[in-house]
């Protein structure tokens, strides 16, 4: 089989336009790569072979069309996106047999732009987690070290991109779930501004945080996907009509004109030695290329883990109330009495982490505790937003690490959920504030594990992020060739 699966999205689009190959060949190459790598990587919950090949054939027949810039290009989507007629489980037993009769707006837009969805990727149950170990269905391995987690919750998305199953993937980021797996596997990931992309048809976790976005191996590819999916949507009132930019044609920024703020609370974290070394080196490379770096402060950042885990759990407890064993999804057998039916269905078909968050969320919303927890967290959220705005004064973007440690071995934190929550500290600020961010690779630790950096921007400045990343990816070390997996 040809090695078309190695191409980036932009390269594949150019090749298709020049008739060097067909979408059928490209899609077959992607599916063959999935077959070869899945036994080791386990990125996918469903591979849509027949349907993808049919769509590829149709794309070949229709020929070039400027309105369909992704025509015939294979992509994967996280299993939280409703794709009509295909299984959509969100990594949960409670949705095991669910087949949506409608489509997420972002998926519909990707397909209208011509993309061919080849697979739905694995994730932590209801996107709650940081390692994809909470999927009810399978283990996804980090393609760069199969003994380690790929990060999460969009671990399958990152693994699919890094193992070259597809050039780009769609993921979601509620507290870091695009940026962190991208960093831990060694690819790029973009979390758009809250409201830049519609949430309609995405299995909800924390509705005031959730946002969909692309993972890919180049910033140009992130832009291609974003330009296809971004924009207002009559089906989601939080999707903003703020003007769109030409994300697909972001011009690399002039690094000599760039000022990046380094939030000192994030840079002074307790880093793994190998990660610290890479981060130091990355800063030197950037200053060597003319970037100005200056320290900034986010004084309320120390509350971000508490704020997020109160508010997101509260929203999750409300969003997940719909899974009651009655309307759709898993229904427990036995006792037909209503309350037992609810209790048994939810207990049997939801994992421990999801139940922990539902209980936490229900508690912080309960009368007597609402003011002490939920209201207080909502107030502190505003303080963090104010810090963020102030930190950006005089800077183009903030620059931060993504994770203080590299991908960890399976089970390393099995008995310690709180430590894993703490590890989210670097990604949470953007979700709390609703601002956009982009993770990009900054090389490997001496042990060969990817290290990521993230740029944090002003609301709706995705174009600026893509431009800055386009210049930075030429200066920072590439994560190197993906390991042999086939
Ligand atoms: N790790 C975070 C959590 O467990 C973020 C998850 C996400 O962004 N979906 O909630």
């Amino acid at each position: 089989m040809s090695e078309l699966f190695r191409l980036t999205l932009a390269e594949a689009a150019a090749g298709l336009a020049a008739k060097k190959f067909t979408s059928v060949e490209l899609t077959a190459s992607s599916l063959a790569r999935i077959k070869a790598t899945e036994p080791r990587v386990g990125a996918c919950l469903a591979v849509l072979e027949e349907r993808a090949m049919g769509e590829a054939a149709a794309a070949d027949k229709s020929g070039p069309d400027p309105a369909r810039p992704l025509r015939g290009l294979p992509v994967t989507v996280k299993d939280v996106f409703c794709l009509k007629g295909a299984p959509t489980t969100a990594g949960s037993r409670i949705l095991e047999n669910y087949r949506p009769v409608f489509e997420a707006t972002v998926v519909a837009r990707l397909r209208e732009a011509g993309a061919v969805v080849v697979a739905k990727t694995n994730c932590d149950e209801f996107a709650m987690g940081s390692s994809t170990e909470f999927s009810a269905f399978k283990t996804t391995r980090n393609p760069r070290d199969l003994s380690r987690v790929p990060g999460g919750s969009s671990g399958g998305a990152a693994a699919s991109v890094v193992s070259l199953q597809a050039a780009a993937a769609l993921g979601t980021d509620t507290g870091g779930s695009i940026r962190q797996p991208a960093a831990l596997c060694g690819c790029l990931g973009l979390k758009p501004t809250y409201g830049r992309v519609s949430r309609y048809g995405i299995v909800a976790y924390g509705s005031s945080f959730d946002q969909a976005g692309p993972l890919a191996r180049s910033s140009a590819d992130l832009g291609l996907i974003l330009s296809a999916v971004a924009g207002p949507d009559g089906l989601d009132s939080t999707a903003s009509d703020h003007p769109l930019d030409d994300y697909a044609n972001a011009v690399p920024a002039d690094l000599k004109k760039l000022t990046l703020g380094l939030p000192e609370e994030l840079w002074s974290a307790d880093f793994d030695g190998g990660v610290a070394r890479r981060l130091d080196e990355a800063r030197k490379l950037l200053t060597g290329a003319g970037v100005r770096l200056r320290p900034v402060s986010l004084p309320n950042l120390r509350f971000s883990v508490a704020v997020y885990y109160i508010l997101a759990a509260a929203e999750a407890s409300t969003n997940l109330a719909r899974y009651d064993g009655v309307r759709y999804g898993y229904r427990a057998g036995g006792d037909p009495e209503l309350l037992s039916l609810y209790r048994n269905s939810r207990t049997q078909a939801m994992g421990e982490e999801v139940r922990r968050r539902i209980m936490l969320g229900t508690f912080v919303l309960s009368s007597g505790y609402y003011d002490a927890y939920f209201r207080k967290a909502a107030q502190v959220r505003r303080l963090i937003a104010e810090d963020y705005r102030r930190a950006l004064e005089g800077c183009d973007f903030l620059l931060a690490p993504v994770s203080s440690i590299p991908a960890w071995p399976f089970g390393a934190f099995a008995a310690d959920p709180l430590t894993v929550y703490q590890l989210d500290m670097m990604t949470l600020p953007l979700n709390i504030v609703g601002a956009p961010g982009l993770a990009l690779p900054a090389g490997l630790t001496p042990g060969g594990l990817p290290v990521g950096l993230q740029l944090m921007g002003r609301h709706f400045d995705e174009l600026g992020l893509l431009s800055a990343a386009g210049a930075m990816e030429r200066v920072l070390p590439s994560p190197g060739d993906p390991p042999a997996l086939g």
Side-chain angles (χ1 to χ4, degrees), residues 127-130 153 173-177 205 308-309 357 424:
M128 297 176 189
S130 304
S153 63
D173 192 314
T174 303
S177 281
Y205 161 17
Y308 170 78
Y309 279 94
R357 296 200 192 191
D424 288 340

